[in-house]
Amino acid sequence: MGSHLRCGFGKPLETRCGYGRGKVGLVPIPSVFYRSEPARCWEQPKQLAPMRRLRFHHLLAVRVLLLAAAVVQECAAQGGASAGGDHAPLVSPLAKDPATSLYTISIKDGAGPLVVDLAGPLVWSACASGHPTFPCGSAECDAANCWHQQGRPWHQDYGAGAEVDGGDRFCACTARPCDPVTRDRCAPGDLTTFAMSANATDGRNALHPVAFQAVGACAPDQLLRSRSLPAGTEGVAGFGRAPLSLPAQLAARRGFGSRFALCLPGVAIFGDTPIYLGYYPPDLMTTIASTPLAASPKSGGYYLPVEAISVSWPNWNAPTARAALPPGALELDAATGRGGVTLSTVQRYTAMRSDVYRAFVRAFNETIGTPGYVKPMPAVAPFELCYDTFSLRRVRVLGWDVPSIRLELGAGASMNWTVASGNSMVQAADRTLCLAVVEMGPGAAHGAAVVIGGYQVEDNLLVFDEDKEVLHFSGLLWGSGATCSGFNFTAPQ
């Protein structure tokens, strides 16, 4: 079993991260999608724990026999795959919960949907009694715990006298799942495996069902009962830059490349494939823009190299207003993880640190007032800038005739990211249209400068290419013939 490690996006580094590559239990361990960590987690990779060391809460002979049969089937399936079996990309539907505005993916067998957390490092969900666990010293346990949970390092505490030299069968690994919305509520739970399923796809249609296993954490009751999560959901699917995120596990398991796509709400696609949505005939991957991605040493999120924010009227001959930001306001500190512009699926609306927010709203308000006919309206919480819809003009297909917001991207981007009115404005009350951007609260100085919320990326195709460290983005799809709900989930006959 090889011990060659990669600490980030296909680039071998001299520093070892401590994650082995190979198969433990039912799931291969993927390479680590993280390359900015300055300190070593372990000097040498640990020996992967053998299957026989999985621990059960109830050691009954019947269960052991059933597990052995499942392992035989799994190994046979893996052997077929390695001999040229099914490595097709996978697709799953995404929905939006109307009460919380969170997005969910239906992927766990026989269970409710999971909340999509774009920066989350783990999959976590409810567990049945008698679930299998991983030993404390296993590579999976290392991968689950040598990670910065919500920006704070947390390592496995094995307890006094526990043996961790490659996996002690009397010590079950504990992971630490966190509430993705509050970010301050975490609790320990067993590291286990979940049965999941999705559909194979050719990029245009959902084909046949595919079953697979994923490593994840058991969710304690206090997390499952969190009021911040949608009713009926059974946990969280982390999509972040971490070895045990859902996309990382699927990429390692199926060998279809480390690319995944989100179109909210509508569809998630895993693997290298053309993408066709709705009536738009070309492969969208051949037409959409791209930008390099940046990484934070304190977060598993995806950061954009935004250098400036500007506001301009798309249909008026008026000058572009660039927000007068403090020097370096949007820069990501590679040492501390502070600053930067990141994407989120659990933040409802884009949130900006106070210094960035003040400069931005000043530029937007001055720009929208330039023609002289737009009437302000009283603020509607949580928004500050609101306008009378009777003084605004509707634009066919694209929403309202208001200034566009432009995220000016750095070197390597094929074009800037333009946020049109369909993603920037929200109807907050009768005759009241508000700018859907909010100011961060106290304590935000240690986090990102800007968190782009789910509302701002709805009806946009986002394709994350982990190997190339690139994000492909479409902008608002309205009027293009492509829609996030346009994927064909009806298998061809």
Side-chain angles (χ1 to χ4, degrees):
M1 186 174 299
S3 61
H4 175 67
L5 302 178
R6 297 187 298 174
C7 296
F9 298 100
K11 297 182 178 181
L13 301 180
E14 293 180 358
T15 301
R16 296 184 184 272
C17 289
Y19 303 117
R21 297 183 67 200
K23 297 177 182 177
V24 181
L26 302 179
V27 180
I29 292 297
S31 57
V32 179
F33 301 129
Y34 196 88
R35 71 188 194 122
S36 299
E37 176 63 61
R40 299 182 183 182
C41 295
W42 295 274
E43 291 298 326
Q44 296 291 335
K46 296 181 182 293
Q47 178 66 35
L48 300 180
M51 166 61 83
R52 62 183 175 81
R53 288 191 173 182
L54 280 177
R55 173 180 174 270
F56 286 80
H57 293 279
H58 304 287
L59 297 176
L60 301 177
V62 173
R63 295 194 181 200
V64 173
L65 292 174
L66 289 175
L67 176 64
V71 172
V72 170
Q73 292 176 348
E74 179 72 10
C75 292
Q78 291 176 353
S82 63
D86 184 10
H87 286 258
L90 299 178
V91 63
S92 288
L94 297 176
K96 181 178 180 179
D97 177 64
T100 63
S101 295
L102 293 176
Y103 308 95
T104 61
I105 183 169
S106 298
I107 199 166
K108 187 182 174 192
D109 276 354
L114 304 177
V115 173
V116 175
D117 181 7
L118 186 58
L122 287 170
V123 176
W124 58 264
S125 185
C127 289
S129 60
H131 56 268
T133 63
F134 287 92
C136 291
S138 64
E140 292 90 344
C141 192
D142 289 346
N145 288 299
C146 184
W147 186 252
H148 287 81
Q149 287 282 350
Q150 319 308 338
R152 298 183 301 274
W154 184 88
H155 298 281
Q156 174 73 25
D157 181 6
Y158 301 111
E163 297 179 21
V164 297
D165 54 346
D168 174 21
R169 62 191 177 92
F170 296 110
C171 175
C173 178
T174 300
R176 198 169 180 84
C178 298
D179 186 316
V181 179
T182 64
R183 296 296 189 193
D184 60 359
R185 180 182 300 172
C186 302
D190 288 346
L191 194 67
T192 186
T193 57
F194 296 116
M196 295 190 171
S197 64
N199 284 295
T201 183
D202 57 5
R204 188 187 300 272
N205 306 294
L207 305 176
H208 53 86
V210 175
F212 58 93
Q213 298 274 337
V215 175
C218 293
D221 288 343
Q222 60 263 42
L223 288 184
L224 288 171
R225 293 196 304 265
S226 171
R227 294 182 180 180
S228 61
L229 301 183
T233 56
E234 294 204 14
V236 169
F239 277 63
R241 286 172 142 174
L244 293 186
S245 71
L246 181 60
Q249 292 194 57
L250 286 175
R253 179 176 185 79
R254 294 183 60 80
F256 50 33
S258 59
R259 203 170 75 188
F260 72 93
L262 296 177
C263 205
L264 302 171
V267 62
I269 300 174
F270 305 92
D272 296 345
T273 177
I275 298 176
Y276 302 91
L277 299 174
Y279 298 104
Y280 189 67
D283 168 18
L284 285 166
M285 290 303 301
T286 65
T287 65
I288 61 179
S290 64
T291 180
L293 284 167
S296 167
K298 298 293 185 180
S299 167
Y302 300 88
Y303 284 75
L304 305 179
V306 179
E307 296 183 343
I309 304 174
S310 57
V311 183
S312 62
W313 280 94
N315 300 313
W316 284 87
N317 185 20
T320 296
R322 178 176 284 188
L325 301 175
L330 300 178
E331 291 181 3
L332 174 62
D333 189 317
T336 66
R338 296 176 183 174
V341 178
T342 189
L343 296 161
S344 173
T345 54
V346 296
Q347 172 77 37
R348 186 172 185 178
Y349 301 108
T350 291
M352 296 181 175
R353 199 177 57 212
S354 292
D355 58 328
V356 177
Y357 177 80
R358 285 291 130 212
F360 167 69
V361 296
R362 187 181 306 113
F364 188 91
N365 201 37
E366 290 176 356
T367 303
I368 200 172
T370 298
Y373 61 78
V374 179
K375 180 182 176 182
M377 291 288 277
V380 178
F383 310 115
E384 179 178 340
L385 296 185
C386 298
Y387 306 94
D388 188 347
T389 56
F390 282 17
S391 67
L392 294 170
R393 183 168 61 95
R394 274 196 175 274
V395 179
R396 183 181 179 185
V397 179
L398 296 179
W400 297 92
D401 186 19
V402 299
S404 296
I405 302 166
R406 183 171 292 108
L407 304 180
E408 299 182 14
L409 301 173
S414 62
M415 64 183 297
N416 293 323
W417 185 328
T418 299
V419 183
S421 64
N423 290 127
S424 66
M425 309 300 290
V426 62
Q427 186 89 33
D430 184 45
R431 289 186 57 175
T432 304
L433 192 72
C434 297
L435 177 65
V437 177
V438 299
E439 185 176 7
M440 291 181 184
H446 298 290
V450 178
V451 179
I452 299 176
Y455 186 81
Q456 274 66 46
V457 297
E458 284 188 358
D459 298 304
N460 288 241
L461 175 63
L462 303 178
V463 183
F464 300 82
D465 191 324
E466 301 280 22
D467 284 337
K468 296 179 180 179
E469 301 183 57
V470 166
L471 171 70
H472 300 268
F473 60 97
S474 68
L476 188 62
L477 291 172
W478 294 359
S480 69
T483 64
C484 289
S485 59
F487 189 88
N488 181 21
F489 278 101
T490 303
Q493 301 299 315

